[in-house]
Amino acid sequence: MAGNHFPATAGNSRLASAVTRSPILILILSLLLLSIIFFFSFQPHPTAHSSNPNPFETSFVASLERLLSSRTPIEIRDDTVSSPNDADVQRLDDLMRKREDERLSGDPLFPTSFPIRVYVYEMPRRFTYDLLRLFRDTYRETSNLSSNGSPVHRLIEQHSIDYWLWADLIAPESERLLKTVVRVHKQEDADFFYVPFFTTISFFLLEKQDCKALYRDALKWVRDQPAWNRSGGRDHIFPIHHPWSFKSVRKFVKKAIWLLPDMDSTGNWYKPGQVYLEKDLILPYVPNVDFCDAKCASETAPKRSTLLFFRGRIKRNAGGKIRSKLGDELNGVEGVIIEEGTAGEKGKVEAQSGMRKSIFCLSPAGDTPSSARLFDAIVSGCIPIIVSDELELPFEGIIDYRKIALFVSSSDAVQPGWLISYLRSITPARIRDMQNNLVKYSRHFIYSSPAQPLGPEDLVWRMMAGKLVNVKLHTSRSQRVVKESRSICTCECRRPSMTSPS
């Protein structure tokens, strides 16, 4: 090669001469070279599975750290406005109706066909990245506890569905795996509008006055958008997964779609007319324990010597009063472990150990009809015993819970001896079948980055497709600016000294 000169040596000359005179040696060297090329060419290329046994991230903290360190948030210039007028709203309505007509003529399954098209608002950083950084930077603090001794950061993790959905929607399309939803960058293309405001983080980690101001600002920002005024918010999605978050301003967004932990009907958490199944969607809590996969399930199956296990707060309010009754009834019964516990790190370890040693896990109502304990049991391979008369479960209509859980009425559960007698009557064959199903069904309850097909993020959009027809029907062609009062109530935020409803 030009510019590269190597000095000739006696050894080099003799080798060159030998090679030139020996066709056999040339053949041998050629075959050796081809063998080396063949060997390396057909080695299996490293894949996500071979280089990393867990190719997707299920830890909120780890996923968040990766997102904040790998992406520099930039304010994208989108088509939001500071204060819409009738012309802005009419213009957007005309564009959206034109796009819908085009899709309807080209797709006979519209408006329920996939992918669902979602417009993600580019809200100011104080509503999104600043709150995520606040969580990340204060995560290791141990003094920030709720009144029952549970770290507020753990409660935020349990209700972090807002993060997982948003992280998937904003990820580069080349990194996404879901085919049921796509992010659009023009409002006229959207089926739904996602509001990425982290209501739970702000509720627990901000001072009262700061939280009050942030709630007020976020509400005004969203209600100032033409898309909101076009539909009255009916096609807007709000993650309000903690029952206390965004509470005092909810009446101003009651037409929007809320992502909730359950449909509490006692009036303690939601006012009448605010939440209902036709409008809103129930999402599972983020599990507080590690997933017991097929290998784990196989190893723990012969070691499950406890018949029934429960660890958590026994004294609860509202619908959770059933816990104390069950505690009294089951206390001291052979094969049953009923323990008082909290959601701290020690509590997580003890709860996980107990669930993996048990056949059945008690899942009574908490302060609301639901409880994070149900999803901890599912991913632990412990058959849930659901004692909650008014519970609506996530993704009902897609998931058949009868294959993985047993449902018991409150009146039966507190009858002396009834529950234990019932559990002991379950055949070993049925128990094995349900345990096998738990391993298969766990994928529906494990949030991850990237979001996985048939994971909870995917099922959200499958369920949302069923709401699209109703949304379109309520957004008429002659939609005008919503004439609702724009007065904003005073936000009643709470400091992190409150008790978790989980």
Side-chain angles (χ1 to χ4, degrees), residues 307-310 322 326 330 359-365 371 373-374 377-378 382-388 391 401 404-409 412-413 418-420 422-424 426 430-431 434 438:
L307 177 66
L308 181 63
F309 177 80
F310 174 84
I322 186 67
L326 288 170
L330 298 172
I359 300 172
F360 301 104
C361 284
L362 189 63
S363 180
S371 169
R373 207 155 281 99
L374 167 62
I378 289 173
C382 187
I383 301 169
I385 307 300
I386 299 175
V387 185
S388 183
L391 179 63
Y401 284 89
I404 59 172
L406 298 173
F407 295 84
V408 176
S409 69
D412 285 338
W418 186 93
L419 182 58
I420 298 304
Y422 170 64
L423 296 182
R424 286 175 175 158
I426 308 296
R430 187 182 180 192
I431 290 173
M434 296 184 79
L438 283 170

mmCIF file of all heavy atoms in Angstrom, residues 307-310 322 326 330 359-365 371 373-374 377-378 382-388 391 401 404-409 412-413 418-420 422-424 426 430-431 434 438:
data_model
loop_
_atom_site.group_PDB
_atom_site.id
_atom_site.type_symbol
_atom_site.label_atom_id
_atom_site.label_comp_id
_atom_site.label_asym_id
_atom_site.label_seq_id
_atom_site.Cartn_x
_atom_site.Cartn_y
_atom_site.Cartn_z
ATOM 1 N N LEU A 307 -50.560 -22.496 53.906
ATOM 2 C CA LEU A 307 -51.830 -22.551 53.177
ATOM 3 C C LEU A 307 -52.262 -21.158 52.741
ATOM 4 O O LEU A 307 -52.604 -20.934 51.573
ATOM 5 C CB LEU A 307 -52.916 -23.186 54.050
ATOM 6 C CG LEU A 307 -54.315 -23.243 53.422
ATOM 7 C CD1 LEU A 307 -54.319 -24.189 52.221
ATOM 8 C CD2 LEU A 307 -55.360 -23.663 54.465
ATOM 9 N N LEU A 308 -52.263 -20.200 53.672
ATOM 10 C CA LEU A 308 -52.780 -18.860 53.392
ATOM 11 C C LEU A 308 -51.871 -17.826 54.046
ATOM 12 O O LEU A 308 -51.523 -17.950 55.229
ATOM 13 C CB LEU A 308 -54.203 -18.719 53.923
ATOM 14 C CG LEU A 308 -54.893 -17.372 53.692
ATOM 15 C CD1 LEU A 308 -55.072 -17.099 52.198
ATOM 16 C CD2 LEU A 308 -56.242 -17.333 54.408
ATOM 17 N N PHE A 309 -51.514 -16.782 53.270
ATOM 18 C CA PHE A 309 -50.581 -15.770 53.768
ATOM 19 C C PHE A 309 -51.140 -14.375 53.561
ATOM 20 O O PHE A 309 -51.770 -14.077 52.532
ATOM 21 C CB PHE A 309 -49.245 -15.897 53.027
ATOM 22 C CG PHE A 309 -48.226 -14.847 53.399
ATOM 23 C CD1 PHE A 309 -47.471 -14.971 54.560
ATOM 24 C CD2 PHE A 309 -48.043 -13.730 52.591
ATOM 25 C CE1 PHE A 309 -46.530 -14.004 54.896
ATOM 26 C CE2 PHE A 309 -47.102 -12.767 52.916
ATOM 27 C CZ PHE A 309 -46.350 -12.902 54.072
ATOM 28 N N PHE A 310 -50.906 -13.524 54.539
ATOM 29 C CA PHE A 310 -51.215 -12.093 54.395
ATOM 30 C C PHE A 310 -50.230 -11.304 55.235
ATOM 31 O O PHE A 310 -49.993 -11.611 56.405
ATOM 32 C CB PHE A 310 -52.635 -11.763 54.860
ATOM 33 C CG PHE A 310 -52.918 -10.274 54.858
ATOM 34 C CD1 PHE A 310 -53.317 -9.627 53.702
ATOM 35 C CD2 PHE A 310 -52.766 -9.526 56.025
ATOM 36 C CE1 PHE A 310 -53.559 -8.263 53.702
ATOM 37 C CE2 PHE A 310 -53.006 -8.160 56.033
ATOM 38 C CZ PHE A 310 -53.407 -7.521 54.869
ATOM 39 N N ILE A 322 -62.853 -4.984 56.499
ATOM 40 C CA ILE A 322 -62.933 -6.441 56.414
ATOM 41 C C ILE A 322 -61.620 -7.078 56.846
ATOM 42 O O ILE A 322 -61.599 -8.215 57.330
ATOM 43 C CB ILE A 322 -63.288 -6.863 54.958
ATOM 44 C CG1 ILE A 322 -63.521 -8.377 54.845
ATOM 45 C CG2 ILE A 322 -62.175 -6.449 53.998
ATOM 46 C CD1 ILE A 322 -64.735 -8.864 55.564
ATOM 47 N N LEU A 326 -61.200 -10.380 59.260
ATOM 48 C CA LEU A 326 -60.500 -11.582 58.805
ATOM 49 C C LEU A 326 -59.324 -11.909 59.710
ATOM 50 O O LEU A 326 -59.034 -13.078 59.981
ATOM 51 C CB LEU A 326 -60.011 -11.389 57.369
ATOM 52 C CG LEU A 326 -61.086 -11.391 56.276
ATOM 53 C CD1 LEU A 326 -60.500 -10.941 54.946
ATOM 54 C CD2 LEU A 326 -61.709 -12.778 56.137
ATOM 55 N N LEU A 330 -58.942 -15.511 61.460
ATOM 56 C CA LEU A 330 -57.873 -16.412 61.017
ATOM 57 C C LEU A 330 -56.688 -16.476 61.966
ATOM 58 O O LEU A 330 -55.784 -17.297 61.766
ATOM 59 C CB LEU A 330 -57.375 -15.974 59.633
ATOM 60 C CG LEU A 330 -58.414 -16.020 58.511
ATOM 61 C CD1 LEU A 330 -57.867 -15.382 57.250
ATOM 62 C CD2 LEU A 330 -58.853 -17.459 58.233
ATOM 63 N N ILE A 359 -49.343 -21.136 49.295
ATOM 64 C CA ILE A 359 -50.189 -21.575 48.188
ATOM 65 C C ILE A 359 -51.190 -20.487 47.832
ATOM 66 O O ILE A 359 -51.366 -20.136 46.664
ATOM 67 C CB ILE A 359 -50.931 -22.876 48.558
ATOM 68 C CG1 ILE A 359 -49.930 -23.984 48.863
ATOM 69 C CG2 ILE A 359 -51.875 -23.291 47.429
ATOM 70 C CD1 ILE A 359 -50.567 -25.247 49.433
ATOM 71 N N PHE A 360 -51.853 -19.933 48.844
ATOM 72 C CA PHE A 360 -52.852 -18.888 48.652
ATOM 73 C C PHE A 360 -52.407 -17.618 49.371
ATOM 74 O O PHE A 360 -51.788 -17.678 50.439
ATOM 75 C CB PHE A 360 -54.214 -19.325 49.193
ATOM 76 C CG PHE A 360 -54.769 -20.572 48.557
ATOM 77 C CD1 PHE A 360 -54.747 -21.786 49.230
ATOM 78 C CD2 PHE A 360 -55.321 -20.534 47.285
ATOM 79 C CE1 PHE A 360 -55.259 -22.942 48.661
ATOM 80 C CE2 PHE A 360 -55.830 -21.684 46.696
ATOM 81 C CZ PHE A 360 -55.799 -22.897 47.385
ATOM 82 N N CYS A 361 -52.752 -16.466 48.772
ATOM 83 C CA CYS A 361 -52.465 -15.169 49.385
ATOM 84 C C CYS A 361 -53.764 -14.385 49.519
ATOM 85 O O CYS A 361 -54.488 -14.201 48.525
ATOM 86 C CB CYS A 361 -51.461 -14.379 48.558
ATOM 87 S SG CYS A 361 -49.757 -14.945 48.727
ATOM 88 N N LEU A 362 -54.041 -13.939 50.727
ATOM 89 C CA LEU A 362 -55.262 -13.195 50.994
ATOM 90 C C LEU A 362 -55.159 -11.793 50.403
ATOM 91 O O LEU A 362 -54.176 -11.087 50.612
ATOM 92 C CB LEU A 362 -55.490 -13.120 52.504
ATOM 93 C CG LEU A 362 -56.843 -12.568 52.968
ATOM 94 C CD1 LEU A 362 -57.982 -13.471 52.503
ATOM 95 C CD2 LEU A 362 -56.861 -12.443 54.496
ATOM 96 N N SER A 363 -56.182 -11.392 49.660
ATOM 97 C CA SER A 363 -56.210 -10.066 49.044
ATOM 98 C C SER A 363 -57.533 -9.384 49.366
ATOM 99 O O SER A 363 -58.440 -9.309 48.531
ATOM 100 C CB SER A 363 -56.026 -10.179 47.523
ATOM 101 O OG SER A 363 -56.046 -8.903 46.935
ATOM 102 N N PRO A 364 -57.653 -8.851 50.594
ATOM 103 C CA PRO A 364 -58.869 -8.137 50.965
ATOM 104 C C PRO A 364 -58.816 -6.690 50.485
ATOM 105 O O PRO A 364 -57.760 -6.192 50.090
ATOM 106 C CB PRO A 364 -58.848 -8.211 52.490
ATOM 107 C CG PRO A 364 -57.389 -8.208 52.825
ATOM 108 C CD PRO A 364 -56.698 -8.935 51.703
ATOM 109 N N ALA A 365 -59.947 -6.012 50.526
ATOM 110 C CA ALA A 365 -59.985 -4.598 50.164
ATOM 111 C C ALA A 365 -59.097 -3.794 51.100
ATOM 112 O O ALA A 365 -58.867 -4.165 52.252
ATOM 113 C CB ALA A 365 -61.423 -4.088 50.239
ATOM 114 N N SER A 371 -56.196 -3.314 46.112
ATOM 115 C CA SER A 371 -55.003 -3.346 46.946
ATOM 116 C C SER A 371 -53.829 -3.776 46.079
ATOM 117 O O SER A 371 -53.956 -4.658 45.230
ATOM 118 C CB SER A 371 -55.174 -4.330 48.107
ATOM 119 O OG SER A 371 -53.943 -4.556 48.765
ATOM 120 N N ARG A 373 -51.543 -5.497 46.964
ATOM 121 C CA ARG A 373 -51.207 -6.871 47.375
ATOM 122 C C ARG A 373 -51.684 -7.913 46.365
ATOM 123 O O ARG A 373 -51.092 -8.969 46.213
ATOM 124 C CB ARG A 373 -51.832 -7.129 48.749
ATOM 125 C CG ARG A 373 -51.131 -8.158 49.594
ATOM 126 C CD ARG A 373 -51.423 -7.900 51.049
ATOM 127 N NE ARG A 373 -50.589 -6.813 51.536
ATOM 128 C CZ ARG A 373 -51.014 -5.554 51.659
ATOM 129 N NH1 ARG A 373 -52.236 -5.233 51.316
ATOM 130 N NH2 ARG A 373 -50.206 -4.624 52.109
ATOM 131 N N LEU A 374 -52.768 -7.626 45.663
ATOM 132 C CA LEU A 374 -53.278 -8.559 44.653
ATOM 133 C C LEU A 374 -52.229 -8.814 43.576
ATOM 134 O O LEU A 374 -51.974 -9.958 43.195
ATOM 135 C CB LEU A 374 -54.558 -7.990 44.027
ATOM 136 C CG LEU A 374 -55.044 -8.672 42.744
ATOM 137 C CD1 LEU A 374 -55.374 -10.135 43.012
ATOM 138 C CD2 LEU A 374 -56.250 -7.932 42.176
ATOM 139 N N ALA A 377 -49.182 -10.739 44.756
ATOM 140 C CA ALA A 377 -49.450 -12.175 44.817
ATOM 141 C C ALA A 377 -49.344 -12.817 43.434
ATOM 142 O O ALA A 377 -48.752 -13.884 43.268
ATOM 143 C CB ALA A 377 -50.838 -12.429 45.414
ATOM 144 N N ILE A 378 -49.911 -12.149 42.423
ATOM 145 C CA ILE A 378 -49.913 -12.711 41.074
ATOM 146 C C ILE A 378 -48.495 -12.945 40.576
ATOM 147 O O ILE A 378 -48.171 -14.030 40.070
ATOM 148 C CB ILE A 378 -50.685 -11.777 40.115
ATOM 149 C CG1 ILE A 378 -52.185 -11.820 40.430
ATOM 150 C CG2 ILE A 378 -50.439 -12.184 38.662
ATOM 151 C CD1 ILE A 378 -53.014 -10.821 39.648
ATOM 152 N N CYS A 382 -48.478 -16.877 43.875
ATOM 153 C CA CYS A 382 -49.351 -17.224 45.003
ATOM 154 C C CYS A 382 -50.786 -16.928 44.595
ATOM 155 O O CYS A 382 -51.117 -15.796 44.215
ATOM 156 C CB CYS A 382 -48.942 -16.396 46.227
ATOM 157 S SG CYS A 382 -49.792 -16.858 47.746
ATOM 158 N N ILE A 383 -51.657 -17.906 44.654
ATOM 159 C CA ILE A 383 -53.032 -17.770 44.169
ATOM 160 C C ILE A 383 -53.790 -16.756 45.026
ATOM 161 O O ILE A 383 -53.966 -16.955 46.234
ATOM 162 C CB ILE A 383 -53.762 -19.119 44.199
ATOM 163 C CG1 ILE A 383 -53.016 -20.139 43.330
ATOM 164 C CG2 ILE A 383 -55.212 -18.967 43.726
ATOM 165 C CD1 ILE A 383 -53.508 -21.569 43.489
ATOM 166 N N PRO A 384 -54.248 -15.638 44.445
ATOM 167 C CA PRO A 384 -54.949 -14.620 45.237
ATOM 168 C C PRO A 384 -56.350 -15.083 45.660
ATOM 169 O O PRO A 384 -57.076 -15.682 44.863
ATOM 170 C CB PRO A 384 -55.039 -13.426 44.283
ATOM 171 C CG PRO A 384 -54.097 -13.722 43.161
ATOM 172 C CD PRO A 384 -54.044 -15.211 43.058
ATOM 173 N N ILE A 385 -56.672 -14.783 46.895
ATOM 174 C CA ILE A 385 -58.029 -14.979 47.403
ATOM 175 C C ILE A 385 -58.620 -13.579 47.538
ATOM 176 O O ILE A 385 -58.309 -12.841 48.484
ATOM 177 C CB ILE A 385 -58.048 -15.709 48.760
ATOM 178 C CG1 ILE A 385 -57.239 -17.005 48.666
ATOM 179 C CG2 ILE A 385 -59.477 -15.970 49.209
ATOM 180 C CD1 ILE A 385 -57.752 -17.973 47.629
ATOM 181 N N ILE A 386 -59.460 -13.185 46.604
ATOM 182 C CA ILE A 386 -59.964 -11.819 46.542
ATOM 183 C C ILE A 386 -61.231 -11.706 47.382
ATOM 184 O O ILE A 386 -62.248 -12.338 47.093
ATOM 185 C CB ILE A 386 -60.240 -11.408 45.086
ATOM 186 C CG1 ILE A 386 -58.927 -11.474 44.286
ATOM 187 C CG2 ILE A 386 -60.841 -10.012 45.017
ATOM 188 C CD1 ILE A 386 -59.103 -11.204 42.809
ATOM 189 N N VAL A 387 -61.141 -10.898 48.439
ATOM 190 C CA VAL A 387 -62.286 -10.648 49.310
ATOM 191 C C VAL A 387 -62.595 -9.157 49.206
ATOM 192 O O VAL A 387 -62.087 -8.330 49.965
ATOM 193 C CB VAL A 387 -61.989 -11.037 50.775
ATOM 194 C CG1 VAL A 387 -63.242 -10.874 51.630
ATOM 195 C CG2 VAL A 387 -61.471 -12.465 50.848
ATOM 196 N N SER A 388 -63.398 -8.806 48.226
ATOM 197 C CA SER A 388 -63.755 -7.407 47.986
ATOM 198 C C SER A 388 -65.012 -7.401 47.141
ATOM 199 O O SER A 388 -64.986 -7.769 45.967
ATOM 200 C CB SER A 388 -62.615 -6.678 47.266
ATOM 201 O OG SER A 388 -62.908 -5.322 47.091
ATOM 202 N N LEU A 391 -65.089 -4.805 43.841
ATOM 203 C CA LEU A 391 -63.856 -4.623 43.096
ATOM 204 C C LEU A 391 -64.073 -4.785 41.593
ATOM 205 O O LEU A 391 -64.631 -5.774 41.136
ATOM 206 C CB LEU A 391 -62.800 -5.629 43.562
ATOM 207 C CG LEU A 391 -61.444 -5.580 42.851
ATOM 208 C CD1 LEU A 391 -60.772 -4.236 43.092
ATOM 209 C CD2 LEU A 391 -60.553 -6.717 43.332
ATOM 210 N N TYR A 401 -59.828 -13.728 35.038
ATOM 211 C CA TYR A 401 -59.254 -13.849 36.375
ATOM 212 C C TYR A 401 -59.627 -15.151 37.070
ATOM 213 O O TYR A 401 -58.979 -15.545 38.039
ATOM 214 C CB TYR A 401 -59.679 -12.658 37.236
ATOM 215 C CG TYR A 401 -58.931 -11.381 36.928
ATOM 216 C CD1 TYR A 401 -59.399 -10.501 35.961
ATOM 217 C CD2 TYR A 401 -57.747 -11.057 37.590
ATOM 218 C CE1 TYR A 401 -58.712 -9.326 35.659
ATOM 219 C CE2 TYR A 401 -57.051 -9.895 37.303
ATOM 220 C CZ TYR A 401 -57.541 -9.032 36.332
ATOM 221 O OH TYR A 401 -56.864 -7.873 36.044
ATOM 222 N N ILE A 404 -56.783 -17.576 37.544
ATOM 223 C CA ILE A 404 -55.625 -17.289 38.398
ATOM 224 C C ILE A 404 -55.997 -16.862 39.809
ATOM 225 O O ILE A 404 -55.122 -16.688 40.657
ATOM 226 C CB ILE A 404 -54.738 -16.191 37.780
ATOM 227 C CG1 ILE A 404 -55.535 -14.896 37.570
ATOM 228 C CG2 ILE A 404 -54.119 -16.665 36.470
ATOM 229 C CD1 ILE A 404 -54.685 -13.711 37.137
ATOM 230 N N ALA A 405 -57.276 -16.678 40.102
ATOM 231 C CA ALA A 405 -57.679 -16.178 41.423
ATOM 232 C C ALA A 405 -58.992 -16.808 41.849
ATOM 233 O O ALA A 405 -59.773 -17.304 41.026
ATOM 234 C CB ALA A 405 -57.804 -14.654 41.397
ATOM 235 N N LEU A 406 -59.223 -16.782 43.156
ATOM 236 C CA LEU A 406 -60.483 -17.243 43.721
ATOM 237 C C LEU A 406 -61.211 -16.049 44.322
ATOM 238 O O LEU A 406 -60.600 -15.206 44.996
ATOM 239 C CB LEU A 406 -60.238 -18.298 44.805
ATOM 240 C CG LEU A 406 -59.550 -19.589 44.332
ATOM 241 C CD1 LEU A 406 -59.214 -20.478 45.524
ATOM 242 C CD2 LEU A 406 -60.429 -20.346 43.330
ATOM 243 N N PHE A 407 -62.514 -15.952 44.090
ATOM 244 C CA PHE A 407 -63.319 -14.834 44.575
ATOM 245 C C PHE A 407 -64.222 -15.311 45.710
ATOM 246 O O PHE A 407 -64.953 -16.298 45.556
ATOM 247 C CB PHE A 407 -64.160 -14.252 43.443
ATOM 248 C CG PHE A 407 -63.336 -13.621 42.352
ATOM 249 C CD1 PHE A 407 -62.791 -14.396 41.327
ATOM 250 C CD2 PHE A 407 -63.091 -12.257 42.347
ATOM 251 C CE1 PHE A 407 -62.028 -13.823 40.327
ATOM 252 C CE2 PHE A 407 -62.322 -11.674 41.350
ATOM 253 C CZ PHE A 407 -61.799 -12.462 40.333
ATOM 254 N N VAL A 408 -64.155 -14.584 46.815
ATOM 255 C CA VAL A 408 -64.926 -14.953 48.003
ATOM 256 C C VAL A 408 -65.684 -13.724 48.487
ATOM 257 O O VAL A 408 -65.111 -12.628 48.586
ATOM 258 C CB VAL A 408 -63.994 -15.474 49.116
ATOM 259 C CG1 VAL A 408 -64.773 -15.756 50.390
ATOM 260 C CG2 VAL A 408 -63.250 -16.719 48.646
ATOM 261 N N SER A 409 -66.960 -13.874 48.780
ATOM 262 C CA SER A 409 -67.728 -12.746 49.296
ATOM 263 C C SER A 409 -67.317 -12.447 50.729
ATOM 264 O O SER A 409 -66.871 -13.336 51.465
ATOM 265 C CB SER A 409 -69.229 -13.056 49.246
ATOM 266 O OG SER A 409 -69.560 -14.064 50.185
ATOM 267 N N ASP A 412 -69.170 -14.565 53.379
ATOM 268 C CA ASP A 412 -68.694 -15.942 53.527
ATOM 269 C C ASP A 412 -67.338 -15.975 54.230
ATOM 270 O O ASP A 412 -67.084 -16.832 55.091
ATOM 271 C CB ASP A 412 -68.563 -16.618 52.157
ATOM 272 C CG ASP A 412 -69.903 -17.000 51.564
ATOM 273 O OD1 ASP A 412 -70.877 -17.136 52.326
ATOM 274 O OD2 ASP A 412 -69.977 -17.147 50.326
ATOM 275 N N ALA A 413 -66.455 -15.049 53.860
ATOM 276 C CA ALA A 413 -65.078 -15.078 54.362
ATOM 277 C C ALA A 413 -65.002 -14.952 55.873
ATOM 278 O O ALA A 413 -64.096 -15.524 56.496
ATOM 279 C CB ALA A 413 -64.261 -13.965 53.705
ATOM 280 N N TRP A 418 -65.203 -21.055 57.649
ATOM 281 C CA TRP A 418 -65.638 -21.260 56.265
ATOM 282 C C TRP A 418 -64.477 -21.137 55.276
ATOM 283 O O TRP A 418 -64.306 -21.993 54.401
ATOM 284 C CB TRP A 418 -66.729 -20.249 55.901
ATOM 285 C CG TRP A 418 -67.322 -20.499 54.535
ATOM 286 C CD1 TRP A 418 -68.428 -21.233 54.249
ATOM 287 C CD2 TRP A 418 -66.800 -20.034 53.276
ATOM 288 N NE1 TRP A 418 -68.654 -21.265 52.886
ATOM 289 C CE2 TRP A 418 -67.657 -20.533 52.261
ATOM 290 C CE3 TRP A 418 -65.718 -19.262 52.903
ATOM 291 C CZ2 TRP A 418 -67.462 -20.270 50.913
ATOM 292 C CZ3 TRP A 418 -65.503 -19.006 51.548
ATOM 293 C CH2 TRP A 418 -66.366 -19.502 50.571
ATOM 294 N N LEU A 419 -63.673 -20.094 55.376
ATOM 295 C CA LEU A 419 -62.637 -19.831 54.385
ATOM 296 C C LEU A 419 -61.591 -20.939 54.363
ATOM 297 O O LEU A 419 -61.199 -21.427 53.295
ATOM 298 C CB LEU A 419 -61.978 -18.477 54.662
ATOM 299 C CG LEU A 419 -60.893 -18.050 53.669
ATOM 300 C CD1 LEU A 419 -61.457 -17.994 52.259
ATOM 301 C CD2 LEU A 419 -60.290 -16.710 54.073
ATOM 302 N N ILE A 420 -61.137 -21.376 55.523
ATOM 303 C CA ILE A 420 -60.110 -22.419 55.575
ATOM 304 C C ILE A 420 -60.648 -23.734 55.039
ATOM 305 O O ILE A 420 -59.965 -24.458 54.308
ATOM 306 C CB ILE A 420 -59.586 -22.585 57.009
ATOM 307 C CG1 ILE A 420 -58.938 -21.284 57.487
ATOM 308 C CG2 ILE A 420 -58.585 -23.727 57.087
ATOM 309 C CD1 ILE A 420 -57.827 -20.776 56.594
ATOM 310 N N TYR A 422 -62.941 -24.060 52.826
ATOM 311 C CA TYR A 422 -63.055 -23.904 51.374
ATOM 312 C C TYR A 422 -61.698 -24.093 50.701
ATOM 313 O O TYR A 422 -61.574 -24.810 49.693
ATOM 314 C CB TYR A 422 -63.635 -22.529 51.059
ATOM 315 C CG TYR A 422 -63.572 -22.147 49.599
ATOM 316 C CD1 TYR A 422 -64.281 -22.860 48.634
ATOM 317 C CD2 TYR A 422 -62.800 -21.063 49.178
ATOM 318 C CE1 TYR A 422 -64.222 -22.515 47.293
ATOM 319 C CE2 TYR A 422 -62.742 -20.699 47.841
ATOM 320 C CZ TYR A 422 -63.448 -21.432 46.906
ATOM 321 O OH TYR A 422 -63.387 -21.082 45.582
ATOM 322 N N LEU A 423 -60.656 -23.483 51.245
ATOM 323 C CA LEU A 423 -59.330 -23.580 50.633
ATOM 324 C C LEU A 423 -58.809 -25.003 50.678
ATOM 325 O O LEU A 423 -58.154 -25.461 49.727
ATOM 326 C CB LEU A 423 -58.355 -22.632 51.339
ATOM 327 C CG LEU A 423 -58.660 -21.134 51.220
ATOM 328 C CD1 LEU A 423 -57.588 -20.324 51.928
ATOM 329 C CD2 LEU A 423 -58.777 -20.701 49.759
ATOM 330 N N ARG A 424 -59.073 -25.710 51.745
ATOM 331 C CA ARG A 424 -58.595 -27.080 51.855
ATOM 332 C C ARG A 424 -59.360 -28.027 50.948
ATOM 333 O O ARG A 424 -58.920 -29.165 50.714
ATOM 334 C CB ARG A 424 -58.671 -27.534 53.307
ATOM 335 C CG ARG A 424 -57.580 -26.885 54.168
ATOM 336 C CD ARG A 424 -57.699 -27.225 55.622
ATOM 337 N NE ARG A 424 -56.548 -26.678 56.379
ATOM 338 C CZ ARG A 424 -56.553 -26.444 57.680
ATOM 339 N NH1 ARG A 424 -57.652 -26.718 58.401
ATOM 340 N NH2 ARG A 424 -55.482 -25.949 58.264
ATOM 341 N N ILE A 426 -59.914 -27.312 47.787
ATOM 342 C CA ILE A 426 -59.400 -27.136 46.428
ATOM 343 C C ILE A 426 -58.451 -28.284 46.103
ATOM 344 O O ILE A 426 -57.512 -28.566 46.851
ATOM 345 C CB ILE A 426 -58.652 -25.787 46.276
ATOM 346 C CG1 ILE A 426 -59.526 -24.634 46.767
ATOM 347 C CG2 ILE A 426 -58.226 -25.575 44.837
ATOM 348 C CD1 ILE A 426 -60.780 -24.412 45.985
ATOM 349 N N ARG A 430 -56.176 -28.655 40.593
ATOM 350 C CA ARG A 430 -56.623 -27.291 40.295
ATOM 351 C C ARG A 430 -55.591 -26.271 40.763
ATOM 352 O O ARG A 430 -55.350 -25.263 40.097
ATOM 353 C CB ARG A 430 -57.972 -27.006 40.957
ATOM 354 C CG ARG A 430 -58.565 -25.665 40.535
ATOM 355 C CD ARG A 430 -59.875 -25.355 41.208
ATOM 356 N NE ARG A 430 -60.400 -24.069 40.779
ATOM 357 C CZ ARG A 430 -61.398 -23.447 41.362
ATOM 358 N NH1 ARG A 430 -62.003 -23.992 42.427
ATOM 359 N NH2 ARG A 430 -61.818 -22.269 40.906
ATOM 360 N N ILE A 431 -54.984 -26.531 41.896
ATOM 361 C CA ILE A 431 -53.938 -25.636 42.408
ATOM 362 C C ILE A 431 -52.773 -25.561 41.423
ATOM 363 O O ILE A 431 -52.289 -24.469 41.096
ATOM 364 C CB ILE A 431 -53.454 -26.101 43.794
ATOM 365 C CG1 ILE A 431 -54.553 -25.866 44.846
ATOM 366 C CG2 ILE A 431 -52.183 -25.380 44.190
ATOM 367 C CD1 ILE A 431 -54.234 -26.448 46.201
ATOM 368 N N MET A 434 -53.735 -23.515 38.355
ATOM 369 C CA MET A 434 -53.771 -22.075 38.615
ATOM 370 C C MET A 434 -52.359 -21.511 38.793
ATOM 371 O O MET A 434 -52.059 -20.396 38.348
ATOM 372 C CB MET A 434 -54.636 -21.779 39.840
ATOM 373 C CG MET A 434 -56.094 -22.145 39.664
ATOM 374 S SD MET A 434 -57.135 -21.680 41.076
ATOM 375 C CE MET A 434 -57.341 -19.924 40.764
ATOM 376 N N LEU A 438 -50.623 -18.561 36.593
ATOM 377 C CA LEU A 438 -50.056 -17.345 37.171
ATOM 378 C C LEU A 438 -48.753 -16.964 36.480
ATOM 379 O O LEU A 438 -48.490 -15.775 36.234
ATOM 380 C CB LEU A 438 -49.815 -17.524 38.670
ATOM 381 C CG LEU A 438 -51.047 -17.437 39.576
ATOM 382 C CD1 LEU A 438 -50.698 -17.875 40.991
ATOM 383 C CD2 LEU A 438 -51.605 -16.020 39.584
#
